[in-house]
């Protein structure tokens, strides 16, 4: 299984509010979870940036575990009337400090409310991509930044991450096999919701989401069952993802099942 292929196709634990603590998910957050007292509007805000490292391991019955490391350097340009979410992605082997094996840049423009309105793909130095290919990727809707899934939305206690099957499929894009499309989705159950509010290590308010998705897709005579469980953190002030910790089991009738275990560590702060 080619992890790079899985990651690039996106072109990047259960909790009870009353009892969730750092022990439930060590390393992802610290302290207790509290309910949202009022709605929180999320918007990717100019002058903020994040540096995230994704470590993803694929485990199958027959092969040795294989790991992929991907860095996501994200910043927000523009102003309150028209902000631009810019993300540079690079894949590495061994560590995030090793030479990149692939890379690209995506840009998502948002309106005054933080809602994405247009997208653009760009090549980065060392990884040339034909202009026509980039243009077609944007036209086909293959340009995406995971942070933009949340921007422009207002969340209340218990609200879903994904409100319909189309949004669920978009959220699953990084882990679904590349040959599957929205048209192949035949069944899904998505209980991914806002669990509550925590404080980051820097003291900033952070939304905690439980990720809980079951999906079945069909292509020709082959079915793919996807089960995703875990959690995701979203920084309220910047509107950027602050961390992820989840695992997904993918079972295809035409081949052996495999599991993808993913941890995303992020550091956030004002752009300097």
């Amino acid at each position: 299984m080619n992890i790079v292929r899985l990651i690039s196709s996106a072109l990047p634990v259960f909790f009870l509010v009353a009892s969730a603590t750092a022990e439930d998910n060590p390393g992802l957050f610290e302290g207790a979870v509290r309910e949202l007292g009022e709605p929180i509007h999320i918007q990717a805000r100019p002058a903020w940036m994040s540096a995230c490292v994704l470590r993803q391991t694929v485990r199958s019955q027959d092969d040795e575990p294989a790991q992929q490391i991907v860095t996501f350097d994200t910043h927000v340009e523009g102003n309150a009337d028209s902000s631009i979410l810019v993300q540079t992605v690079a894949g590495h082997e061994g560590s995030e400090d090793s030479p990149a094996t692939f890379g690209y840049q995506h840009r998502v423009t948002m309106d005054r409310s933080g809602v994405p309105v247009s997208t653009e793909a760009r090549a980065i130095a060392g990884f040339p991509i034909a202009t026509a290919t980039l243009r077609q990727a944007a036209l086909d809707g293959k340009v995406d930044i995971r942070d933009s899934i949340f921007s422009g939305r207002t969340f209340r206690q218990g609200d879903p991450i994904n409100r319909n099957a189309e949004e669920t499929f978009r959220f699953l894009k990084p882990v679904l096999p590349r040959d599957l499309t929205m048209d192949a989705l035949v069944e899904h159950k998505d209980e991914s919701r806002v669990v509550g509010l925590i404080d980051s290590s820097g003291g900033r308010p952070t939304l905690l989401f439980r990720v809980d998705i079951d999906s079945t897709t069909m292509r020709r005579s082959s079915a793919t069952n996807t089960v995703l469980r875990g959690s995701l953190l979203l920084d309220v002030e910047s509107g950027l993802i602050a961390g992820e910790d989840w695992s997904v089991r993918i079972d295809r009738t035409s081949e052996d099942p495999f599991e993808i275990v993913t941890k995303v560590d992020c550091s956030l702060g004002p752009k300097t």
Side-chain angles (χ1 to χ4, degrees):
M1 178 55 57
N2 188 328
I3 309 176
V4 171
R5 182 170 64 87
L6 287 168
I7 294 291
S8 61
S9 67
L11 291 159
V13 183
F14 291 89
F15 291 96
L16 297 175
V17 171
S19 60
T21 65
E23 286 72 23
D24 293 311
N25 199 2
L28 187 61
F29 70 94
E30 298 178 357
V33 182
R34 57 189 184 276
E35 290 192 6
L36 276 64
E38 58 186 20
I40 294 178
H41 183 71
I42 295 297
Q43 186 168 344
R45 300 188 182 279
W48 279 89
M49 62 182 297
S50 68
C52 299
V53 179
L54 175 148
R55 294 176 176 84
Q56 190 167 68
T57 302
V58 172
R59 300 190 177 107
S60 64
Q61 294 178 339
D62 301 324
D63 300 326
E64 290 294 322
Q67 187 177 63
Q68 175 71 43
I69 297 175
V70 183
T71 56
F72 298 84
D73 292 324
T74 307
H75 66 274
V76 188
E77 299 177 351
N79 52 52
D81 290 324
S82 180
S83 56
I84 303 173
L85 189 60
V86 182
Q87 186 171 86
T88 301
V89 180
H92 306 265
E93 294 181 358
S95 76
E96 61 268 30
D97 298 321
S98 64
T101 57
F102 73 89
Y104 51 85
Q105 185 184 92
H106 284 170
R107 301 169 68 89
V108 175
T109 300
M110 295 164 285
D111 64 16
R112 185 175 181 82
S113 299
V115 176
V117 293
S118 65
T119 60
E120 180 185 359
R122 291 186 178 181
I124 59 176
F127 301 96
I129 303 176
T131 302
T133 301
L134 292 172
R135 185 181 299 114
Q136 194 61 48
L139 292 173
D140 292 344
K142 295 180 179 178
V143 175
D144 203 359
I145 299 176
R146 279 175 71 77
D147 305 70
S148 67
I149 291 174
F150 304 92
S151 188
R153 296 178 58 185
T154 299
F155 290 98
R156 297 169 176 80
Q157 183 68 34
D159 275 357
I161 296 180
N162 310 300
R163 295 159 293 193
N164 51 51
E166 288 79 9
E167 289 186 354
T168 299
F169 195 84
R170 179 185 175 196
F171 191 83
L172 286 173
K173 261 189 173 182
V175 295
L176 282 176
R178 193 173 186 176
D179 58 353
L180 291 176
T181 66
M182 178 63 204
D183 293 338
L185 186 64
V186 295
E187 185 176 324
H188 89 291
K189 182 183 75 173
D190 189 346
E191 300 295 331
S192 305
R193 297 187 178 278
V194 176
V195 175
L197 198 62
I198 65 170
D199 292 324
S200 70
S201 57
R204 291 192 305 275
T206 304
L207 282 176
L208 171 63
F209 294 87
R210 179 188 70 203
V211 181
D212 182 0
I213 300 172
D214 293 79
S215 172
T216 299
T217 49
M218 292 288 297
R219 188 174 186 273
R220 298 190 179 94
S221 60
S222 175
T224 299
N225 299 312
T226 304
V227 178
L228 179 63
R229 302 284 187 269
S231 52
L232 180 146
L233 299 181
L234 186 66
D235 183 74
V236 172
E237 190 172 359
S238 66
L240 300 177
I241 291 175
E244 299 183 55
D245 193 350
W246 46 265
S247 64
V248 58
R249 181 176 174 84
I250 298 178
D251 185 359
R252 305 186 76 173
T253 56
S254 59
E255 58 187 65
D256 292 333
F258 57 92
E259 182 182 31
I260 301 173
V261 180
T262 300
K263 180 73 179 293
V264 180
D265 296 305
C266 299
S267 60
L268 291 85
K271 185 180 177 183
T272 56

